[in-house]
Amino acid sequence: MDKIKADGLLIISEEICEKVIGRSDAFKAVENVFGAMARGDAYNFPVIREAIGYADALYGFKSGFDKSGMTLGVKSGGYWPGNMEKGLTNHQSTIFLFDPDTGQLQALVGGNYLTAVRTAASSSVSIAHLARKDAKVLGMIGAGHQSTFQLRAAAEQRDFEKVIAWNPHPEMLPKLGAVAKELGLPFEAVEREQLGAEADVIITITSAFEPLLMRDWIKPGTHIACMGTDTKGKQEIDAALVANATVFTDEIAQSISIGEAQHAISDGLLSEDAITPIGAVINGTHKGRISPDEITLFDGTGVGLQDLAVASVAARLATEQGLAARVAL
Ligand code: NAD
């Protein structure tokens, strides 16, 4: 529980978030909130995402309430494709936390770094709970901004011996390779078929709108964390592969509408009741992986409660460490 004790409004910058929140804090916050969602103690409210008709920007809100963590708030922001030229990241977001007892604004928290770490924590939680314990080869599909965060967090979950990777833009792979090297892991750029044949755990984190990994390429026992598909129409995985796997997700409503499962559902290959919230595995009400040969698939769509959970921890830690700016309400 991270109820913020503060008089007035806390302001936690991006820089402070980076200083106070590490991977293990994000992992615990995300694992807890997935568990709370599966118990019915935490709810995400409907997501708003709109093209604003200016600067090609997409803008929206993700919000929710976690009764067990007493976290109420909203992440507001979106995607500004022209930002790169201005030296800014294209994704921009800010998290607002409110006091659930009074509705008063408690904290404004920079959301860019927190989005990256909470997304990495999500696939990492799925690996911790669903991947085979003897997983040795980590396969990465994607080499953009998020990929290095996913790699660092995943590497902590199993005794991986190497990282293999593929990206539609191969020139982006050396950056990911440098992170693998920093982690002491050999790195190899491979073709997708080889990646499927060798990897014990695969993370997909691209902006693809068509399948990049096909069912017949994947070996039994693999765990796949699908993290890139977070919008209607996006797709990273063959729908037949989704249908062939035991499917887990952060939130079923998002999985079937904007997540990787949307295509298998609309093709009639998978039914909604075959998808399990990962929180049920965390809470011990679902066994998770039941056989070493099973293909497990985590559809990580990204929910607002993840953002609120890490923002709440950031606000608490920044306050404890005397780093949060404070203004009177
Ligand atoms: P990025 O722009 O830095 O990288 C994009 C990646 O997708 C690169 O690997 C690039 O080579 C690849 N790519 C670009 N266009 C492509 C195409 N048409 N087909 C296939 N691949 C393509 O983005 P990022 O910040 O690394 O985010 C990657 C994806 O993850 C995005 O789709 C983003 O929306 C999604 N995302 C999901 C969550 C979540 O919680 N699930 C959170 C953050 C980002």
Side-chain angles (χ1 to χ4, degrees):
M1 218 279 274
D2 286 287
K3 188 142 174 32
I4 302 160
K5 293 183 199 73
D7 296 322
L9 168 64
L10 298 172
I11 300 178
I12 326 282
S13 66
E14 286 290 337
E15 197 187 343
I16 303 294
C17 286
E18 287 191 39
K19 218 174 255 176
V20 296
I21 287 266
R23 281 187 294 279
S24 66
D25 300 306
F27 183 100
K28 273 183 258 151
V30 167
E31 190 182 47
N32 282 342
V33 84
F34 284 167
M37 283 162 56
R39 287 194 307 275
D41 287 340
Y43 305 90
N44 291 289
F45 304 141
V47 174
I48 307 279
R49 196 163 163 89
E50 300 287 336
I52 63 171
Y54 180 75
D56 286 332
L58 289 174
Y59 172 72
F61 312 103
K62 282 186 167 185
S63 62
F65 177 44
D66 176 0
K67 216 186 292 176
S68 59
M70 286 303 272
T71 311
L72 174 70
V74 57
K75 176 165 94 166
S76 167
Y79 186 75
W80 274 259
N83 274 6
M84 276 302 203
E85 293 153 23
K86 299 172 185 160
L88 298 168
T89 47
N90 290 348
H91 294 273
Q92 289 292 329
S93 63
T94 308
I95 300 160
F96 300 70
L97 298 176
F98 301 92
D99 183 341
D101 290 314
T102 63
Q104 274 198 308
L105 183 59
Q106 284 183 316
L108 291 179
V109 188
N112 296 349
Y113 167 74
L114 291 184
T115 299
V117 285
R118 67 74 150 152
T119 304
S122 178
S123 52
S124 175
V125 164
S126 86
I127 294 165
H129 288 277
L130 297 169
R132 285 171 54 139
K133 296 273 183 279
D134 61 353
K136 293 285 178 242
V137 179
L138 174 61
M140 297 289 306
I141 302 267
H145 174 69
Q146 243 337 115
S147 67
T148 57
F149 288 88
Q150 307 301 135
L151 171 56
R152 285 182 197 279
E156 291 170 346
Q157 299 310 321
R158 292 292 183 265
D159 290 328
F160 290 114
E161 291 175 353
K162 80 170 172 178
V163 178
I164 54 180
W166 180 85
N167 193 53
H169 308 101
E171 68 281 6
M172 295 169 82
L173 283 167
K175 204 174 134 210
L176 190 62
V179 172
K181 196 171 161 205
E182 201 188 302
L183 297 170
L185 290 166
F187 179 87
E188 198 186 337
V190 296
E191 290 305 323
R192 287 174 286 171
E193 290 87 337
Q194 188 184 341
L195 190 142
E198 280 191 36
D200 304 306
V201 171
I202 300 174
I203 299 175
T204 61
I205 184 73
T206 70
S207 318
F209 279 82
E210 56 194 38
L212 304 174
L213 266 187
M214 307 312 283
R215 183 179 73 171
D216 294 344
W217 301 347
I218 305 301
K219 66 177 183 178
T222 305
H223 173 67
I224 311 170
C226 304
M227 303 305 299
T229 299
D230 56 359
T231 307
K232 197 166 170 48
K234 280 190 183 171
Q235 182 173 16
E236 298 184 291
I237 302 289
D238 177 15
L241 172 54
V242 178
N244 198 39
T246 311
V247 182
F248 300 84
T249 188
D250 42 19
E251 189 184 80
I252 291 174
Q254 287 203 169
S255 172
I256 62 171
S257 55
I258 58 169
E260 196 58 50
Q262 62 180 292
H263 307 284
I265 291 276
S266 64
D267 292 354
L269 299 172
L270 183 74
S271 67
E272 182 178 337
D273 56 16
I275 307 176
T276 304
I278 194 161
V281 183
I282 293 164
N283 296 338
T285 57
H286 187 284
K287 284 198 174 77
R289 168 180 292 280
I290 51 171
S291 123
D293 285 343
E294 186 177 9
I295 294 174
T296 51
L297 185 147
F298 174 66
D299 188 0
T301 64
V303 293
L305 280 169
Q306 283 171 256
D307 298 297
L308 305 187
V310 287
S312 171
V313 179
R316 176 175 58 78
L317 293 175
T319 307
E320 283 171 7
Q321 294 170 30
L323 295 170
R326 193 184 302 249
V327 293
L329 272 173

